[in-house]
């Protein structure tokens, strides 16, 4: 999310003007003509900073539906939510043997009052997600949420842990209880790029890749001593993109993640096996590689969509422009 439109509220002409500027940009034209590009919105290309739903009635249901219609005009996703004006923009697709699930954590949220366990996605989308996770048969499953799965950066504001911890637990527990293998969590929203593990009571660890730096915006701290036991790497204020490549020819298939600067330098990389990403298989030890590196990139076997974050222009650690670093817009 946050990849073209910048805080245009429900002014649809301004949304379209931002997309028109995108479409004239040579680098974007080259990218979009070369590979499939799939996208889901976050707050800034939805309405504005940390906004969701109808903002408790601050704009109408017709304006709510209009946001979705403008999105459909400007992104070529496989499909959009439930297929009607009230249906959101989430979807599931497949790239080769890899399942991709991209969620909509804006359209259905009843803000600021949310139902416990269903508040971020809404009842219908949560039920859909549970069904998709149980149906996926790919060697790996990439589950994308436009904002973060973990709670570390900016104290988890506008994230699962702050707003819908029961919903997050429902998803993670479903994966564990059904031994769903190969799940990789992807997120965006926070300026910069980071990766975290999510340790579970069982000893299993989920991996989250928050690759939000395609726009190169500075923002919250790239890392913190308080996150040291769970953070894999972090950068801020640098142009970079994330890449997954897969080797399914092995007895234990592997996924290789790289965070790559615009000049081709690899900032961080890690290789994980399918068995390491299988909840009930806890005897596989450490990742096969996990390093900060300056080596040149090599050819990947496959790539998946990345998320970018293009929010405010300052470097104060928030995306509300008030300079206080907490992102709540109140200046304190």
């Amino acid at each position: 999310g946050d990849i073209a439109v910048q805080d245009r509220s429900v002014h649809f002409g301004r949304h379209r003007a931002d997309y028109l500027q995108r479409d004239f940009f040579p680098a974007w034209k080259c990218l979009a003509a070369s590979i499939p590009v799939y996208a889901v919105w976050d707050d800034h290309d939805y309405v504005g900073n940390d906004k969701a739903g109808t903002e408790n009635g601050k704009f109408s249901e017709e304006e709510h539906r209009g946001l979705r219609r403008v999105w459909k005009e400007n992104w070529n996703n496989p499909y959009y939510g439930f297929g009607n004006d009230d249906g959101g923009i989430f979807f599931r697709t497949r790239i080769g043997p890899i399942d991709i699930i991209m969620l909509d954590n804006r359209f259905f949220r009843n803000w600021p009052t949310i139902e416990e366990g269903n508040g971020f996605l809404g009842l219908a989308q949560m039920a859909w997600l549970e069904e998709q996770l149980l149906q996926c048969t790919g060697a790996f499953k990439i589950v994308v949420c436009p904002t973060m799965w973990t709670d570390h950066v900016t104290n988890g504001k506008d994230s699962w842990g702050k707003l819908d911890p029961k919903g997050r637990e429902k998803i993670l527990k479903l994966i564990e209880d059904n031994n769903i293998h190969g799940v990789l969590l992807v997120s965006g929203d926070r300026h910069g790029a980071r990766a975290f593990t999510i340790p579970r009571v069982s000893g299993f660890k989920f991996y989250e890749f928050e690759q939000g730096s395609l726009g190169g915006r500075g923002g919250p701290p790239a890392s913190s001593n308080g996150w040291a036991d769970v953070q894999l790497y972090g950068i801020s204020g640098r142009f970079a993109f994330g890449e997954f490549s897969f080797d399914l020819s092995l007895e234990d298939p592997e996924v290789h993640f790289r965070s790559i600067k615009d000049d081709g330098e690899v900032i961080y990389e890690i290789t994980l096996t399918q068995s390491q990403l299988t909840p009930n298989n806890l005897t596989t030890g450490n990742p096969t590689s996990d390093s900060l590196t300056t080596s040149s990139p090599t050819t990947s076997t496959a790539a998946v969509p990345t998320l970018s974050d293009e929010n405010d222009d300052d470097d104060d650690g928030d995306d509300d422009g008030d300079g206080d670093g907490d992102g709540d817009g109140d200046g304190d």
Side-chain angles (χ1 to χ4, degrees), residues 80-279:
Y80 307 86
F82 290 119
N84 55 59
D85 278 351
D86 296 311
I89 62 163
F90 60 89
F91 64 91
R92 170 186 162 193
T93 190
R94 195 161 171 127
I95 300 178
I98 310 303
D99 287 299
I100 311 291
I101 297 174
M102 300 186 73
L103 301 174
D104 178 353
N105 71 322
R106 297 292 163 185
F107 193 83
F108 299 102
R109 200 190 307 179
N110 184 15
W111 182 267
T113 302
I114 61 174
E115 305 165 67
E116 290 191 356
N118 300 292
F120 235 34
L121 304 182
L123 286 166
Q125 187 182 184
M126 178 64 84
W128 173 87
L129 173 59
E130 292 173 334
E131 181 181 5
Q132 303 310 306
L133 285 169
L134 293 171
Q135 289 180 356
C136 285
T137 60
F140 294 93
K141 296 91 177 164
I142 297 173
V143 184
V144 179
C145 182
T147 193
M148 293 196 71
W149 293 94
T150 50
D151 311 330
H152 310 297
V153 186
T154 58
N155 296 316
K157 79 176 186 76
D158 198 34
S159 295
W160 285 92
K162 184 74 72 174
L163 298 176
D164 196 4
K166 290 186 177 180
R168 178 179 61 187
E169 179 60 24
K170 182 186 295 186
I171 295 167
L172 300 185
K173 191 173 187 300
L174 176 79
I175 294 167
E176 289 183 293
D177 288 350
N178 291 276
N179 204 32
I180 299 172
H181 61 262
V183 174
L184 299 158
L185 302 176
V186 172
S187 61
D189 186 57
R190 304 301 193 271
H191 308 208
R194 305 162 187 86
F196 293 95
T197 61
I198 305 177
R200 304 289 288 167
V201 173
S202 64
F204 180 68
K205 290 190 295 188
F206 287 95
Y207 287 78
E208 175 186 17
F209 298 91
E210 180 255 333
Q211 191 66 30
S213 59
L214 193 60
R217 300 298 183 104
S223 58
S224 168
N225 290 335
W227 315 332
D229 57 337
V230 293
Q231 186 173 23
L232 302 176
Y233 87 105
I235 62 168
S236 182
R238 299 165 67 182
F239 293 103
F241 65 95
E243 174 199 80
F244 289 118
S245 60
F246 301 90
D247 187 347
L248 307 184
S249 67
L250 303 173
E251 182 177 349
D252 191 1
E254 292 181 349
V255 55
H256 187 66
F257 170 81
R258 301 190 300 170
S259 183
I260 306 171
K261 288 176 60 178
D262 54 339
D263 63 2
E265 176 188 336
V266 178
I267 302 167
Y268 173 83
E269 59 185 344
I270 185 173
T271 298
L272 298 164
T273 63
Q274 186 187 75
S275 60
Q276 288 173 285
L277 299 173
T278 301

Side-chain angles (χ1 to χ4, degrees), residues 8-22:
R8 299 308 190 188
S9 187
V10 289
H11 301 292
F12 301 142
R14 295 178 182 177
H15 281 251
R16 292 185 173 100
D18 282 353
Y19 284 124
L20 186 62
Q21 290 185 68
R22 175 202 68 179

Side-chain angles (χ1 to χ4, degrees), residues 48-63:
N49 186 52
D50 293 350
K51 306 299 184 185
T54 61
E55 281 297 288
N56 205 24
K58 290 182 180 177
F59 54 91
S60 69
E61 284 299 331
E62 181 55 35
E63 289 170 325

